[in-house]
């Protein structure tokens, strides 16, 4: 996809007063470049040059609505300050990827907002579970997921370097139960 227009969403963009605007974009959208560039630099600094191959693991289409995914950005004054994505992991599960906050905007709760927006969007699209992994050299991410209700699927007392990618999950609200005439 080369279009710079936001992808359609079943939910309207969030525009609460004083909060960054939430938009959905394609990976190829120029506004996503800071996210991808800075994440690549961060991964390389923590894991070495081969860390950039993480971006090649998943085709860009997996982060689009037709494939069950989304890439969203938080914009302030038209500039991206945070973002993240999910892809379809299985029929009931979305997998979070690429959670990012611009280095000049950290410590403002933006990553929490991105995670909440991704959860809201995943639930609206029918997903009932979120799965994710983060690297063992990303204690900030580990802390984010622990404080936002994610269950670690690993021994939290073990040295993260001995585990490899750290998996987490979170169950979203159960599907609404349809009332039957006998329930009335």
């Amino acid at each position: 996809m080369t279009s710079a227009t936001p992808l359609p969403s079943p939910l309207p963009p969030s525009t609460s007063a004083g909060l960054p605007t939430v938009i959905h974009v394609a990976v190829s959208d120029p506004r996503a470049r800071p996210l991808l560039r800075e994440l690549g630099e961060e991964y390389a600094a923590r894991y070495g040059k081969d860390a950039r191959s993480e971006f090649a693991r998943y085709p860009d289409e997996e982060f689009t609505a037709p494939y069950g995914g989304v890439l969203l950005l938080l914009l302030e004054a038209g500039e991206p300050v945070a973002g993240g994505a999910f892809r379809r992991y299985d029929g009931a599960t979305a997998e979070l990827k690429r959670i990012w906050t611009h280095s000049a905007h950290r410590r403002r709760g933006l990553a929490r907002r991105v995670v909440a927006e991704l959860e809201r969007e995943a639930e609206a699209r029918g997903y009932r579970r979120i799965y994710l992994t983060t690297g063992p050299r990303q204690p900030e991410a580990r802390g984010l997921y622990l404080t936002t209700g994610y269950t670690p699927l690993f021994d939290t007392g073990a040295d993260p370097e001995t585990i490899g990618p750290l998996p987490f999950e979170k169950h979203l609200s159960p599907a609404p139960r349809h009332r039957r005439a006998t329930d009335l």
Side-chain angles (χ1 to χ4, degrees):
M1 268 187 193
T2 58
S3 172
T5 55
L7 297 172
S9 168
L11 299 174
S14 180
T15 56
S16 300
L19 294 176
T21 301
V22 178
I23 63 166
H24 295 192
V25 298
V27 173
S28 61
D29 188 301
R31 294 170 291 188
R33 286 185 193 137
L35 175 152
L36 300 172
R37 183 183 60 251
E38 208 169 48
L39 272 177
E41 292 167 0
E42 189 82 23
Y43 291 167
R46 293 181 191 223
Y47 301 104
K49 290 183 181 184
D50 291 337
R52 291 181 189 240
S53 65
E54 166 64 18
F55 291 108
R57 287 181 56 195
Y58 307 102
D60 292 352
E61 305 81 56
E62 290 194 20
F63 302 103
T64 64
Y67 289 84
V70 70
L71 171 64
L72 63 80
L73 297 174
L74 301 185
L75 301 180
E76 283 185 347
E79 296 297 318
V81 294
F86 66 73
R87 61 184 283 277
R88 182 183 189 276
Y89 186 77
D90 64 35
T93 307
E95 180 181 16
L96 295 190
K97 304 297 288 175
R98 320 273 192 265
I99 308 300
W100 162 82
T101 301
H102 189 288
S103 58
H105 295 276
R106 292 186 179 154
R107 311 292 307 160
R108 295 178 43 204
L110 296 173
R112 283 178 180 265
R113 170 100 187 275
V114 167
V115 170
E117 293 287 345
L118 289 168
E119 289 172 359
R120 183 176 75 88
E121 185 67 30
E123 189 170 18
R125 292 181 186 214
Y127 291 112
R128 297 291 153 236
R129 177 179 172 254
I130 302 274
Y131 173 80
L132 66 92
T133 59
T134 192
R137 297 179 189 164
Q138 294 171 262
E140 307 89 347
R142 177 182 168 159
L144 170 67
Y145 302 126
L146 288 171
T147 60
T148 54
Y150 283 79
T151 301
L153 303 176
F154 60 93
D155 178 359
T156 58
D159 176 4
E161 291 286 335
T162 65
I163 298 170
L166 308 176
F168 291 85
E169 74 174 353
K170 184 176 191 178
H171 292 274
L172 302 173
S173 299
R177 190 170 79 85
H178 296 286
R179 299 184 85 185
R180 298 179 306 228
T182 57
D183 292 340
L184 300 175

